[in-house]
Amino acid sequence: MRENVSLAELTTMRLGGLARYVAEIDNESDLVEAYHFARENNLPTYILGGGSNVIGRDEGFAGVILLNRMKGISVFESDAEKVRITAQSGTRFGDLVEFSTKLWNGDSFGYSGIEALAEIPGSVGAAPVQNIGAYGQEIGDSLYRVGVYDTREQRFRQLTKAQLGLGYRRSIFNHGAEIGRYFITNVTVELSKKWMEPPFYNSLQAYFNEHNIADLTPAIIRKAVSDIRSRKLPDPRWVASSGSFFKNIYLDPEAAEAARERGIPVFDNGKVAAGWLIENAGLKGCDFYGMRVSEDAALVLINERAKSYADLARARAAIVAQVYDKFGLTLEQEPVEIGG
Ligand SMILES: Cc1cc2nc3c(=O)[nH]c(=O)nc-3n(C[C@H](O)[C@H](O)[C@H](O)COP(=O)(O)OP(=O)(O)OC[C@H]3O[C@@H](n4cnc5c(N)ncnc54)[C@H](O)[C@@H]3O)c2cc1C
């Protein structure tokens, strides 16, 4: 247990005041003990993995941060077509992806299902929280079940995929009445021997063409995604950001038609790419109060010089207002916030 730790130290955007307590959780008994401590002292709790989707506010957090460090990966069961792999929730998500693409499947190496999620920073336990997704895959497509500590019933339980309320960047863990109820202790994914098939994302297909790749094994897709991402996304070890700062927008058919008439590209499912809006509002590369809109990926806000959450809030307001003025659509922030 550490006291008075800066939220900036625990989160990749590197902002925020002090957390009163930080408890490092290595196993289930640490977890039960930390919740017990918080209850005894009447303190709120907050779970953090890699802090890559959480922004610290300047007021800090007057409670107990549960810093998840429970590690380990094991094969839970497999048959001729599928494998189920369980990872402890503090495992690096990238390690689970690497493990799955290197596992012998009886005929060759690698199981498919999460290979396009390569290089998404953070922990396995956070993956179902916002149903992480990239390059045409979402963790929800491959989830089998999730092990949790239920703080209401004070016991460990299993939740099936159907109980998780998964949608675009959402689940029961970040929407509705159950927020804060569960600590995810482990995640089981069910992966297939069947490889991913076209159509692929444009940038992924372009990479395959450029490198003359036809053999699309999970390991090759993982490598392709890693290469593409490393060219355009900041590495949180060296550059302060939370990755995509704004969510894509989904419009109903009427609003989609109106947007198309205004020249905004809308996908068949009503999706408007938030990155397109920011770029076409002329904001790529612009600096707002020490926060820069990335030159390489307009959706990413980089903390270059911002000293406080207040600076970030001013930058966000400026970007949202400029996009609204130009396109009449309101951007919403993707990362969640802690403190205040
Ligand atoms: C450079 C960069 C690129 C990114 N690219 C993508 C991308 O392509 N696609 C994508 O979807 N996301 C992306 N992200 C966002 C982020 O990596 C993911 O949301 C990731 O899952 C967060 O993991 P974390 O361990 O850092 O979670 P944290 O930021 O620590 O936590 C995120 C939320 O999950 C909750 N939480 C964490 N662990 C648990 C647990 N064990 N039980 C219950 N709740 C928990 C936290 O309380 C918090 O609300 C990117 C971020 C960065 C910095």
Side-chain angles (χ1 to χ4, degrees), residues 255-327:
E257 213 29 64
R260 282 193 193 99
E261 277 165 19
R262 277 180 279 130
I264 300 169
V266 185
F267 290 84
D268 288 347
N269 61 355
K271 173 177 141 179
V272 176
W276 185 93
L277 296 173
I278 295 166
E279 185 169 351
N280 286 276
L283 303 181
K284 231 181 176 183
C286 292
D287 182 292
F288 297 91
Y289 307 97
M291 305 289 312
R292 185 175 298 283
V293 178
S294 166
E295 293 275 6
D296 303 313
L299 214 45
V300 175
L301 261 191
I302 292 172
N303 176 9
E304 280 189 345
R305 288 175 293 104
K307 292 279 179 298
S308 65
Y309 173 84
D311 288 339
L312 169 70
R314 281 194 283 268
R316 177 182 55 211
I319 295 167
V320 170
Q322 292 197 31
V323 166
Y324 185 81
D325 284 351
K326 178 113 197 211
F327 298 112

Side-chain angles (χ1 to χ4, degrees), residues 106-327:
D107 294 322
S108 60
F109 287 100
Y111 282 91
S112 173
I114 55 173
E115 62 274 39
L117 306 180
E119 301 300 327
I120 296 185
S123 60
V124 164
V129 174
Q130 71 149 2
N131 188 17
I132 58 168
Y135 297 95
Q137 283 182 343
E138 276 183 346
I139 185 71
D141 303 334
S142 301
L143 265 183
Y144 178 66
R145 69 180 182 205
V146 166
V148 295
Y149 179 70
D150 181 342
T151 58
R152 194 179 297 167
E153 297 180 7
Q154 294 185 30
R155 67 182 179 99
F156 291 93
R157 294 174 54 192
Q158 300 279 350
L159 300 177
T160 62
K161 175 172 152 176
Q163 291 174 289
L164 303 183
L166 296 169
Y168 171 67
R169 299 294 179 268
R170 67 187 286 154
S171 70
I172 57 162
F173 305 111
N174 69 358
H175 273 84
E178 312 280 70
I179 292 181
R181 175 172 175 181
Y182 301 111
F183 184 113
I184 298 171
T185 54
N186 60 68
V187 171
T188 301
V189 288
E190 184 176 80
L191 306 176
S192 159
K193 266 169 77 164
K194 218 167 148 279
W195 296 347
M196 275 179 90
E197 282 175 6
F200 293 104
Y201 262 48
N202 289 346
S203 53
L204 201 48
Q205 187 59 55
Y207 181 99
F208 298 143
N209 298 345
E210 189 190 330
H211 294 83
N212 280 323
I213 295 172
D215 208 15
L216 297 170
T217 67
I220 285 175
I221 292 187
R222 169 176 167 256
K223 162 93 172 52
V225 169
S226 303
D227 285 356
I228 296 168
R229 290 181 68 104
S230 68
R231 275 189 230 147
K232 61 173 197 178
L233 288 173
D235 183 332
R237 283 175 302 176
W238 324 117
V239 181
S241 93
S242 301
S244 301
F245 189 78
F246 294 104
K247 291 186 209 173
N248 291 320
I249 297 174
Y250 285 84
L251 300 175
D252 62 37
E254 205 178 310
E257 213 29 64
R260 282 193 193 99
E261 277 165 19
R262 277 180 279 130
I264 300 169
V266 185
F267 290 84
D268 288 347
N269 61 355
K271 173 177 141 179
V272 176
W276 185 93
L277 296 173
I278 295 166
E279 185 169 351
N280 286 276
L283 303 181
K284 231 181 176 183
C286 292
D287 182 292
F288 297 91
Y289 307 97
M291 305 289 312
R292 185 175 298 283
V293 178
S294 166
E295 293 275 6
D296 303 313
L299 214 45
V300 175
L301 261 191
I302 292 172
N303 176 9
E304 280 189 345
R305 288 175 293 104
K307 292 279 179 298
S308 65
Y309 173 84
D311 288 339
L312 169 70
R314 281 194 283 268
R316 177 182 55 211
I319 295 167
V320 170
Q322 292 197 31
V323 166
Y324 185 81
D325 284 351
K326 178 113 197 211
F327 298 112

Side-chain angles (χ1 to χ4, degrees), residues 10-69:
L10 303 172
T11 52
T12 59
M13 190 63 107
R14 295 185 206 146
L15 292 174
L18 296 180
R20 180 70 184 90
Y21 295 101
V22 175
E24 214 164 289
I25 309 295
D26 287 323
N27 51 50
E28 292 185 347
S29 57
D30 285 355
L31 182 59
V32 173
E33 222 176 284
Y35 273 118
H36 180 70
F37 173 84
R39 261 196 317 276
E40 289 284 291
N41 294 283
N42 211 9
L43 293 167
T45 55
Y46 194 87
I47 307 163
L48 274 183
S52 61
N53 209 37
V54 176
I55 292 173
R57 292 206 195 125
D58 295 336
E59 301 88 326
F61 181 64
V64 186
I65 301 264
L66 307 171
L67 197 57
N68 184 12
R69 296 292 180 256

